[in-house]
Amino acid sequence: MSDAPVIVVGAGPVGLTAALLLARRGLDVLVLERHRTPYPLPRAVHLDDEVFRVLQAAGVADAVAAWTRPMAGLRLLDGDHRVLAEFRRDPSSGAHGWPQGVLVHQPDLEEELASAAESTPGITVARGVEVTGLSQDGDGVDVTVVDRDSGAERSVRGVALLGCDGANSTVRSLLGASMRELGPADRWLVLDVRAADELPVWPGAHHVCDSRYPATFMPVTGDRYRWEGRLRPGETVAAAMAPERLRRLLAPVDPTSVQIVRAVEYTFRAQVADRWRGGRVLLAGDAAHLSPPFIGQGLGLGLRDVHQLAWKLADVLAGRAEGSLLDSYQAEREPHARALIRVAQLLGRLMTGGGRTGDVVRHRVLAVVRRMPAVARLATDSRTPPLRRGPLVERRGRAGRRLAGTLVPQPEVLAGGRRCRLDDVLGLGAAELHRDGGSLTVRRADGTTVPVEDPAGSLTAWMRGATTVCIRPDRIVRSARR
């Protein structure tokens, strides 16, 4: 393996998580960030339990979880902020060993990730440097960077480059890729608020399902709160902040009782890059796709990207796999991202579309469906679609068709008399889970075997008729057989 590092452009949550995942696989990583200091204001506010397994793989999940707020569920409100339907979530850990949804303050998340990166051997973070050019050959990538303080230019050599540099990605532009629109852009006012006294609000997400004034509200962490409201055509942030408009958006909270930290216009987009890879240059996160926020998956999509990309890139660089393995990255991740973006678009239309007639229909329909257990499960389920069938997802046989492409659950198990999470037993590489009657055994990538006990029986129940489940390093089931 070359002594040159993997270069990661962008020190946001996706880039720093990528660096940690790569370093855990023995790779040196150089993170290049154009901003001199981390961005101090919140952006993403939601993570689900599937994504927490990515943070667990990066070694930061427990530290991050300590300051998150479990999300109580979802409330749908009418234009007068009366509850149309409420779907509650159990705040305890779900199938993946973490709460199904939590609310986060992104600067806190970035601080945890930055601290972990600084203390991890093999990771170097260079801030205040801007990427201005790149070229590559068969062995790696040469990157031109400029120090934003001195203007000095230099060249950096890497074995590969990950563009995790956001919606306005420089790497994407240099790669010659472009974004494809999946739907119209949507202008929203975003308010980040702090309150000296805890606001008397339900600790979940609130969606105002009103065609005239659609909005979203959620308590984030500590004394922080987030409101979002759609801007009308031609409406400015200043106009949307007029007292009457602000009282309507924040109702029933008195605007004078809170401190508005930020009021900014966000353009919510639905886009996917036409090309995620050129040689050893790869895109991840917002550089590869943008999602409307209605299901809170924008950041989660990026973290899923690098969870998959890290093991594939590490295997290629170590000579354990051919370079063609990297072709499977976009082939697997793009359909998954598109599916979640479509769900976000659909939810947005269901909540806000149809004009006044749509408001009446929503009121009547929700009065009925809110009492249906199946609807409640669907509204609070954090599971994302399985990966499609392909070379790394083998849906053969009844067990394979049911399990392949899905994420293996992560209950607490007993291994060597110690209670632990399943991922800690599986190890960093691929693994196999074997069932022989009521006994379970994990075979790790290094050939070692570990008997495990499943006290709650949930893992055994999930396997059903399968006797062997092959699990990829990103915890996706590759195959299952009887």
Side-chain angles (χ1 to χ4, degrees):
M1 189 181 295
S2 171
D3 292 333
V6 176
I7 299 172
V8 175
V9 181
V14 174
L16 290 172
T17 301
L20 291 167
L21 293 170
L22 291 165
R24 287 194 153 204
R25 287 168 168 78
L27 294 165
D28 289 333
V29 185
L30 172 62
V31 182
L32 304 176
E33 169 57 51
R34 69 186 303 271
H35 296 290
R36 298 174 184 86
T37 58
Y39 190 68
L41 296 173
R43 286 163 289 176
V45 294
H46 173 264
L47 295 173
D48 65 25
D49 53 348
E50 290 186 0
V51 169
F52 249 84
R53 292 179 73 174
V54 183
L55 298 178
Q56 181 183 338
V60 297
D62 286 304
V64 171
W67 45 259
T68 62
R69 183 201 298 265
M71 195 169 76
L74 172 66
R75 273 185 178 175
L76 302 179
L77 314 177
D78 67 11
D80 294 318
H81 291 212
R82 295 173 298 197
V83 176
L84 297 173
E86 179 178 292
F87 305 104
R88 290 183 174 268
R89 266 182 175 163
D90 185 342
S92 61
S93 297
H96 297 294
W98 303 96
Q100 283 188 293
V102 297
L103 296 163
V104 301
H105 181 56
Q106 184 168 327
D108 290 344
L109 172 62
E110 293 193 26
E111 184 178 344
E112 291 287 355
L113 289 167
S115 176
E118 289 169 6
S119 62
T120 299
I123 298 179
T124 301
V125 180
R127 296 184 181 272
V129 294
E130 188 164 4
V131 173
T132 59
L134 64 84
S135 62
Q136 58 179 313
D137 53 37
D139 297 320
V141 183
D142 292 296
V143 181
T144 303
V145 297
V146 175
D147 186 286
R148 300 189 71 196
D149 287 330
S150 67
E153 183 178 281
R154 62 190 173 100
S155 180
V156 179
R157 176 79 172 173
V159 289
L161 184 147
L162 307 187
C164 305
D165 50 342
N168 299 313
S169 171
T170 297
V171 175
R172 184 179 65 230
S173 177
L174 293 171
L175 187 61
S178 59
M179 296 297 260
R180 292 173 175 170
E181 299 283 352
L182 302 183
D186 209 5
R187 297 169 55 246
W188 283 63
L189 170 71
V190 175
L191 296 181
D192 288 302
V193 167
R194 303 190 79 163
D197 299 315
E198 184 175 356
L199 301 181
V201 296
W202 187 65
H206 305 66
H207 290 304
V208 178
C209 304
D210 181 69
S211 60
R212 296 171 300 170
Y213 299 103
T216 298
F217 159 73
M218 61 204 74
V220 187
T221 60
D223 62 351
R224 301 180 182 91
Y225 301 82
R226 164 75 61 85
W227 274 269
E228 300 171 355
R230 178 179 285 159
L231 293 169
R232 294 180 168 186
E235 186 177 30
T236 64
V237 170
M241 293 288 290
E244 181 179 348
R245 184 89 155 84
L246 201 57
R247 280 196 297 272
R248 182 181 187 93
L249 177 62
L250 270 61
V253 174
D254 180 0
T256 64
S257 68
V258 299
Q259 173 196 2
I260 296 176
V261 177
R262 178 177 63 164
V264 65
E265 176 184 326
Y266 266 50
T267 300
F268 297 143
R269 301 186 184 278
Q271 297 179 329
V272 174
D274 60 352
R275 189 157 60 103
W276 296 26
R277 178 196 174 203
R280 288 192 178 182
V281 178
L282 302 109
L283 303 177
D286 286 355
H289 42 67
L290 293 169
S291 174
F294 298 109
I295 58 172
Q297 285 293 337
L299 176 55
L301 283 173
L303 294 177
R304 289 181 175 92
D305 290 345
V306 295
H307 196 202
Q308 180 183 126
L309 188 52
W311 72 265
K312 291 182 175 180
L313 183 58
D315 277 5
V316 169
L317 295 177
R320 293 187 293 267
E322 297 294 327
S324 58
L325 176 63
L326 297 178
D327 292 333
S328 67
Y329 167 57
Q330 182 175 356
E332 290 192 334
R333 289 296 308 137
E334 183 181 352
H336 187 262
R338 283 178 175 267
L340 286 178
I341 291 170
R342 284 195 294 269
V343 172
Q345 291 174 302
L346 176 61
L347 183 58
R349 288 194 294 270
L350 291 175
M351 291 194 311
T352 66
R356 299 306 299 155
T357 301
D359 294 337
V360 173
V361 170
R362 272 187 290 273
H363 195 287
R364 292 176 177 173
V365 170
L366 287 172
V368 176
V369 303
R370 67 184 180 183
R371 299 184 180 90
M372 298 179 180
V375 173
R377 287 194 298 271
L378 182 63
T380 58
D381 194 349
S382 63
R383 286 179 300 177
T384 60
L387 297 188
R388 293 180 179 178
R389 179 179 178 179
L392 303 177
V393 177
E394 303 168 16
R395 288 207 174 117
R396 292 196 293 267
R398 183 176 177 182
R401 287 193 298 271
R402 187 179 70 250
L403 299 180
T406 66
L407 194 65
V408 64
Q410 184 184 213
E412 280 196 338
V413 296
L414 291 173
R418 182 174 63 91
R419 185 176 292 272
C420 56
R421 300 184 181 106
L422 178 63
D423 287 358
D424 297 331
V425 182
L426 297 177
L428 284 177
E432 291 185 353
L433 182 63
H434 297 275
R435 179 176 61 84
D436 183 6
S439 300
L440 295 174
T441 303
V442 168
R443 180 182 293 276
R444 295 172 172 154
D446 62 6
T448 59
T449 58
V450 182
V452 296
E453 297 179 40
D454 179 23
S458 57
L459 193 58
T460 305
W462 170 81
M463 291 180 70
R464 285 187 273 183
T467 57
T468 300
V469 176
C470 298
I471 303 166
R472 303 174 359 167
D474 53 8
R475 312 314 186 196
I476 298 294
V477 175
R478 177 169 185 152
S479 64
R481 59 182 183 270
R482 291 179 179 274

